[in-house]
Amino acid sequence: MEMLFIRHPAPQVAAGICYGSTDLPLQPDALAGVLAQILPVLAKYPRLTPIWSSQLMRARELAQALAQARQQPLYVDADLREMDFGDWEMRAWEDISRQKIDAWAANVCHYHPGGGESVLQMSWRVLSALQRIRQAASEQQASAAILVCHAGCMRIVLALQQMQIQLGQDLSQEQVAQIAQTAVDWPEKIAYGQLCTVLI
């Protein structure tokens, strides 16, 4: 199945702040530019192509605008949210102790930054969401799905594609750990409003 992943536009947050699961609105001027870029790309997809979104406002605002422009319903899956950084959320990176940052860097996949979520945990829930969305799209006889989410989710998806793992199979602990590590090591930055097309 073809899945189109779109990263949300820029949120209202100061530079140098750690944020993941915090619910942030979009910058006032961010939505229009991304819509102008994305809507022409989606024009070739039929209206039955489902639109799914993270429940976080910065993704949902874009997804709602896309659904309204295409005159179709919107579905929300909470497992498409960004990683939870626990008590690091909304703190300046420079205010988090060097010791804690180093501990995270030494074991990114399994460490729980701020007592929050590990990359491995996030990988399991994102992959579970993709399985559900793929199944729902299949039941709707849709050949594609549009997902508005976050950079962390998209790195996991790109890792899945790079490793050539099919969503339909039962994933082992080892495979998900490999996906998580590949996502951590992903070399390219994912920009606000960027669209990635993945076959999974």
Side-chain angles (χ1 to χ4, degrees):
M1 169 173 285
E2 187 175 6
M3 289 191 173
L4 292 82
F5 292 86
I6 308 166
R7 188 184 180 193
H8 61 82
Q12 293 185 42
V13 63
I17 297 297
C18 173
Y19 70 94
S21 63
T22 300
D23 204 7
L24 298 167
L26 294 177
Q27 291 182 11
D29 59 348
L31 180 59
V34 173
L35 274 177
Q37 171 188 325
I38 296 296
L39 279 172
V41 178
L42 300 185
K44 68 177 183 178
Y45 294 90
R47 283 206 180 131
L48 62 81
T49 305
I51 298 176
W52 289 81
S53 177
S54 157
Q55 90 277 27
L56 296 182
M57 197 183 320
R58 59 188 183 270
R60 205 174 64 244
E61 285 185 31
L62 173 58
Q64 287 170 338
L66 292 173
Q68 183 176 5
R70 289 172 57 84
Q71 300 181 326
Q72 64 183 92
L74 169 66
Y75 307 95
V76 174
D77 193 312
D79 283 341
L80 293 176
R81 69 189 180 278
E82 186 58 282
M83 195 167 114
D84 180 3
F85 286 91
D87 61 19
W88 290 11
E89 290 278 339
M90 299 308 293
R91 291 178 60 190
W93 284 105
E94 64 183 17
D95 292 339
I96 300 168
S97 78
R98 183 77 255 168
Q99 183 180 11
K100 291 179 179 179
I101 295 287
D102 289 345
W104 185 33
N107 190 10
V108 177
C109 281
H110 296 89
Y111 188 81
H112 295 256
E117 187 175 29
S118 70
V119 175
L120 183 61
Q121 285 178 319
M122 181 183 178
S123 297
W124 275 111
R125 69 166 165 80
V126 169
L127 293 168
S128 295
L130 297 183
Q131 291 274 28
R132 291 193 298 273
I133 291 167
R134 186 173 182 269
Q135 180 62 34
S138 177
E139 290 170 0
Q140 294 171 343
Q141 297 185 325
S143 60
I146 300 161
L147 296 86
V148 184
C149 54
H150 308 268
C153 298
M154 291 170 72
R155 281 192 290 270
I156 291 166
V157 170
L158 290 167
L160 181 73
Q161 178 178 248
Q162 180 174 292
M163 295 175 65
Q164 299 181 331
I165 295 174
Q166 293 298 313
L167 261 184
Q169 70 185 75
D170 291 331
L171 298 175
S172 67
Q173 293 275 356
E174 182 180 355
Q175 283 177 311
V176 177
Q178 289 174 336
I179 291 167
Q181 187 61 57
T182 303
V184 166
D185 295 335
W186 196 258
E188 299 167 6
K189 180 177 173 59
I190 298 172
Y192 293 124
Q194 183 171 331
L195 184 149
C196 296
T197 302
V198 175
L199 295 174
I200 47 179

